[in-house]
């Protein structure tokens, strides 16, 4: 064996530098890279697949976003009608005119107003409106607001003129037998009505009211002794238009207070009439000496 070629009893390891890698020669003639991955790992492929280049957005044409459903609005319970503030008043106590008559006539259709229309919004009308409101779940005020009026209109029909303008607000009582002959102003305290009768025929009727407890209207048979178109009371200094006197200072005459306040008040003994047009016509027809019968 030559000098310098000594063979060890084991393995001869020769380190050879090849490029940038260091390999180890094994007795079997193979090699093992020192920076190779462990055998348990998958070796890298010789040619790596090129990475994908992200697509560029076209200038001026942004990619449309997927539309999203708008969120559902929160559901809040609607407040009650009367909780939105005071309702708009249409009619109230003290009102008068055709609209009041229409209201009373519609309430009468539902048996909520138990007399004939008067055209004056008094306590009875307010009580009827209040009862109607309570019955239909409305705010109970006694005044006619928009909600009450709309509900009432939906439940009734438009009243006729005869329903809105009856001859009296109450049924006329059967005439006393003393009223059946001649020209008679037949006045019933039971029905609060006056009937102008000629030989048993009723020519016109109207509402009346009488004196208070300490100033009662006299009952009996009388005669018209004086007519005064623009009379003013010398005792109470109040106007008594179309006065037809039948017993001392007691007379049948128009009463502005009766027209405004209904049966809430009373006279000082006279027979008050609240329909000015009717008593004006009656005043022209009645003559001095015509009979006046006042009865219960």
């Amino acid at each position: 064996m030559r000098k310098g070629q000594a063979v060890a009893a084991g393995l001869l390891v020769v380190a050879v530098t090849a490029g940038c890698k260091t390999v180890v020669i094994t007795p079997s003639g193979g090699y093992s890279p020192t920076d190779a991955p462990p055998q348990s790992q998958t070796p890298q492929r010789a040619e790596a697949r090129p990475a994908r280049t992200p697509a560029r957005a076209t200038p001026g044409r942004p990619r449309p976003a997927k539309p999203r459903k708008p969120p559902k609005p929160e559901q809040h319970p609607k407040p009650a009608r009367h909780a939105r503030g005071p309702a708009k008043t249409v009619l109230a106590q003290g009102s008068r005119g055709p609209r009041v008559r229409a209201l009373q006539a519609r309430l009468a259709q539902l048996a909520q107003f138990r007399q004939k229309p008067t055209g004056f919004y008094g306590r009875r009308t307010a009580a009827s409106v209040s009862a109607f409101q309570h019955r239909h779940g409305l705010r109970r005020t006694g005044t006619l607001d928009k909600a009450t009026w709309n509900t009432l209109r939906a439940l009734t029909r438009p009243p006729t003129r005869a329903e809105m303008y009856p001859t009296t607000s109450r049924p006329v009582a059967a005439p006393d037998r003393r009223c059946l002959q001649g020209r008679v102003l037949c006045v019933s305290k039971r029905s609060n009505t006056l009937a102008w009768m000629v030989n048993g025929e009723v020519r016109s009727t109207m509402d009346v009211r009488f004196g208070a407890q300490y100033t009662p209207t006299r009952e009996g048979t009388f005669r018209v002794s004086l007519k005064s178109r623009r009379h003013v009371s010398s005792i109470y200094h109040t106007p008594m238009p179309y006065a037809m006197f039948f017993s001392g200072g007691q007379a049948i005459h128009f009463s502005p207070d009766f027209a405004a306040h209904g049966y809430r008040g009373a006279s000082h003994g006279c027979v008050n009439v609240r329909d000015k047009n009717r008593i004006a016509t009656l005043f022209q027809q009645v003559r001095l000496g015509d009979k006046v019968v006042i009865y219960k």
Side-chain angles (χ1 to χ4, degrees), residues 165-183:
Y165 294 91
T167 55
T168 63
S169 63
R170 301 164 185 239
V172 179
D176 186 271
R177 59 183 180 80
R178 293 170 289 178
C179 301
L180 300 179
Q181 294 182 351
R183 299 163 58 88

Side-chain angles (χ1 to χ4, degrees), residues 96 115 118-122 124 168-170 191-194 206-210 239 253-267 270-276 279:
R96 66 185 67 200
Q115 66 182 72
T118 62
F120 176 73
Y121 200 124
R124 290 189 179 184
T168 63
S169 63
R170 301 164 185 239
S191 64
N192 286 64
T193 58
L194 180 154
M206 57 202 72
D207 293 331
V208 294
R209 73 176 184 182
F210 306 99
H253 66 86
F254 171 70
S255 170
D257 181 77
F258 184 27
H261 302 104
Y263 291 96
R264 184 171 59 185
S267 72
C270 291
V271 177
N272 290 164
V273 178
R274 63 177 167 191
D275 192 322
K276 192 173 184 178
I279 195 171

Side-chain angles (χ1 to χ4, degrees), residues 101 104-105 109 116-117 157-166:
R101 288 182 178 274
Q104 293 168 335
Q109 293 176 21
K116 297 179 182 179
R157 56 173 173 76
T160 64
R161 182 172 180 80
E163 290 173 328
M164 290 177 58
Y165 294 91

Side-chain angles (χ1 to χ4, degrees), residues 40-291:
S40 60
Q41 298 183 11
T42 304
Q44 295 182 352
R45 294 183 179 179
E47 294 182 2
R49 182 174 295 177
R52 292 184 179 180
T53 304
R56 296 182 180 179
T58 305
R61 292 185 180 179
R63 181 178 296 177
K66 188 177 181 181
R68 297 182 180 180
K69 293 183 179 180
K72 294 183 179 180
E74 296 183 5
Q75 299 293 330
H76 298 284
K78 294 183 178 180
R81 181 178 296 274
H82 59 76
R84 298 180 183 178
K88 183 179 180 181
T89 300
V90 179
L91 294 170
Q93 288 198 56
S95 300
R96 66 185 67 200
R99 298 177 73 186
V100 177
R101 288 182 178 274
L103 165 65
Q104 293 168 335
R106 285 180 181 270
L107 289 171
Q109 293 176 21
L110 301 175
Q112 294 282 169
F113 188 71
R114 301 192 178 276
Q115 66 182 72
K116 297 179 182 179
T118 62
F120 176 73
Y121 200 124
R123 288 185 299 176
R124 290 189 179 184
T125 304
S128 297
V129 172
S130 179
F132 175 82
Q133 290 169 331
H134 178 68
R135 184 175 181 179
H136 294 279
L138 300 167
R139 178 180 288 181
R140 195 172 183 179
T141 61
T143 60
L144 182 69
D145 53 41
K146 217 166 186 180
T148 304
W149 179 237
N150 290 339
T151 304
L152 180 61
R153 289 181 63 187
L155 296 173
T156 56
R157 56 173 173 76
T160 64
R161 182 172 180 80
E163 290 173 328
M164 290 177 58
Y165 294 91
T167 55
T168 63
S169 63
R170 301 164 185 239
V172 179
D176 186 271
R177 59 183 180 80
R178 293 170 289 178
C179 301
L180 300 179
Q181 294 182 351
R183 299 163 58 88
V184 186
L185 292 166
C186 194
V187 182
S188 169
K189 284 188 172 182
R190 181 180 297 275
S191 64
N192 286 64
T193 58
L194 180 154
W196 168 235
M197 302 183 65
V198 178
N199 295 326
E201 179 186 353
V202 178
R203 299 288 181 88
S204 66
T205 58
M206 57 202 72
D207 293 331
V208 294
R209 73 176 184 182
F210 306 99
Q213 179 180 359
Y214 298 104
T215 55
T217 302
R218 302 182 187 100
E219 299 172 14
T221 302
F222 310 92
R223 297 282 176 178
V224 177
S225 58
L226 174 68
K227 292 174 62 179
S228 178
R229 166 69 179 78
R230 296 180 178 86
H231 194 80
V232 177
S233 173
S234 59
I235 300 175
Y236 303 105
H237 308 288
T238 55
M240 299 169 58
Y242 305 104
M244 295 172 281
F245 289 88
F246 59 86
S247 177
Q250 294 189 355
I252 299 170
H253 66 86
F254 171 70
S255 170
D257 181 77
F258 184 27
H261 302 104
Y263 291 96
R264 184 171 59 185
S267 72
H268 292 96
C270 291
V271 177
N272 290 164
V273 178
R274 63 177 167 191
D275 192 322
K276 192 173 184 178
N277 293 330
R278 287 182 181 276
I279 195 171
T281 302
L282 179 63
F283 184 84
Q284 295 176 350
Q285 297 174 353
V286 171
R287 306 169 186 168
L288 295 178
D290 284 345
K291 192 187 318 184

